[in-house]
Amino acid sequence: MSSSKKKLIAGNWKMNGSLAANEALVKALIAGLQDPACDVAVAVPLLYLAQVQALVAGSSVELAAQDVSAHEAGAYTGEVSAAMLKDFGARYVLVGHSERRQYHGETDAVVAEKTQRALAAGITPIVCVGETLQEREAGQTEVVVKRQLAAVIHVNGHCISEVVVAYEPVWAIGTGRTASPEQAQAVHAVLRAQLAAASEHADRIRLLYGGSMNAANAAQLLAQPDIDGGLVGGASLKAPDFLQIIAAAR
Ligand code: PEP
């Protein structure tokens, strides 16, 4: 059962946006945000971190990156380190999103390294876990999400309570097919129990749900006892929809 911690609604823009579109979106978001009851963040493409950092300055919108290098610094062409993200004001970074696991072959070990790098730089990782449709149909959901969470539960020198966890069933991401509140809560309860076995602060850890969350289904999902927020893809690109989701997170 979650404590009275603030919920977190994080938008994941994925590879969408432009200077003009970002400005319009962030301005509409800030204009519509009246003293939100939850924390709000947007995970933007790396190239736009500086732009969005300036746009959100002084507002309650926090900045997130969508990925981080598993390495600290050096000869890793094309990569961006946690220290660089910190330089541009990133408060959070997504780690192990299913699109990274699927298209970039990120293993649990790599996800753990990235989690460690983020924590070492003072950035809160939002670690994504979730089963594919095939794994769900084979009755493997629990095994898969527990394995993925176990990989980050004992990150050197850090407590798991410094991490945000996002349960994102892969079959629900970008498909319009949302997990039912009961399905999502059942997995969140499994994750909470696993966290409780590892940390006396498990209650403090925010467990987000992600996967086709939208203005119509957010309130029911967010009312579940172990759902402490949302990771929102498509619906975060439309300010009115994202604002309705934020309003549902109390
Ligand atoms: C995501 O990208 O993390 C996500 C949940 O996407 P969508 O909301 O579009 O399913």
Side-chain angles (χ1 to χ4, degrees):
M1 176 75 187
S2 38
S3 61
S4 58
K5 60 190 169 274
K6 261 194 185 181
K7 288 188 166 60
L8 168 63
I9 301 294
N12 175 14
W13 291 1
K14 311 196 190 201
M15 198 173 71
N16 293 293
S18 65
L19 287 171
N22 301 345
E23 183 171 346
L25 178 56
V26 173
K27 284 188 169 164
L29 179 59
I30 291 172
L33 266 186
Q34 280 141 14
D35 203 12
C38 64
D39 291 332
V40 177
V42 286
V44 309
L46 280 176
L47 206 53
Y48 295 122
L49 271 183
Q51 182 206 11
V52 179
Q53 181 186 26
L55 286 168
V56 300
S59 80
S60 47
V61 179
E62 295 183 294
L63 193 57
Q66 298 177 11
D67 186 32
V68 62
S69 176
H71 306 284
E72 190 174 1
Y76 300 101
T77 302
E79 299 210 21
V80 171
S81 72
M84 293 171 186
L85 300 181
K86 185 75 178 171
D87 241 0
F88 284 88
R91 163 83 176 78
Y92 301 97
V93 61
L94 306 184
V95 178
H97 190 281
S98 64
E99 288 151 17
R100 302 288 320 169
R101 293 181 192 259
Q102 190 180 344
Y103 306 136
H104 300 272
E106 286 192 10
T107 60
D108 290 338
V110 169
V111 172
E113 283 166 18
K114 292 184 171 197
T115 301
Q116 164 111 52
R117 292 290 173 209
L119 288 170
I123 299 174
T124 301
I126 300 177
V127 179
C128 305
V129 302
E131 81 288 1
T132 62
L133 185 58
Q134 204 182 12
E135 288 163 341
R136 173 162 282 261
E137 287 174 345
Q140 293 293 303
T141 299
E142 236 184 81
V143 173
V144 170
V145 298
K146 283 169 100 172
R147 190 203 71 224
Q148 291 172 334
L149 182 57
V152 297
I153 235 164
H154 296 297
V155 172
N156 282 352
H158 291 276
C159 175
I160 186 66
S161 63
E162 297 172 60
V163 166
V164 173
V165 177
Y167 168 56
E168 298 207 303
V170 179
W171 48 271
I173 296 180
T175 59
R177 189 177 161 192
T178 319
S180 69
E182 296 73 24
Q183 281 175 321
Q185 168 56 29
V187 178
H188 280 233
V190 166
L191 296 172
R192 182 84 65 201
Q194 188 178 1
L195 292 167
S199 165
E200 60 192 33
H201 305 301
D203 244 22
R204 273 194 220 155
I205 301 172
R206 292 190 287 192
L207 284 178
L208 315 185
Y209 168 78
S212 299
M213 185 181 267
N214 58 38
N217 61 29
Q220 265 199 307
L221 286 159
L222 293 166
Q224 300 303 308
D226 288 298
I227 299 186
D228 308 311
L231 181 53
V232 184
S236 72
L237 295 171
K238 294 171 236 146
D241 296 43
F242 196 48
L243 284 165
Q244 279 190 59
I245 296 171
I246 291 165
R250 354 206 103 256

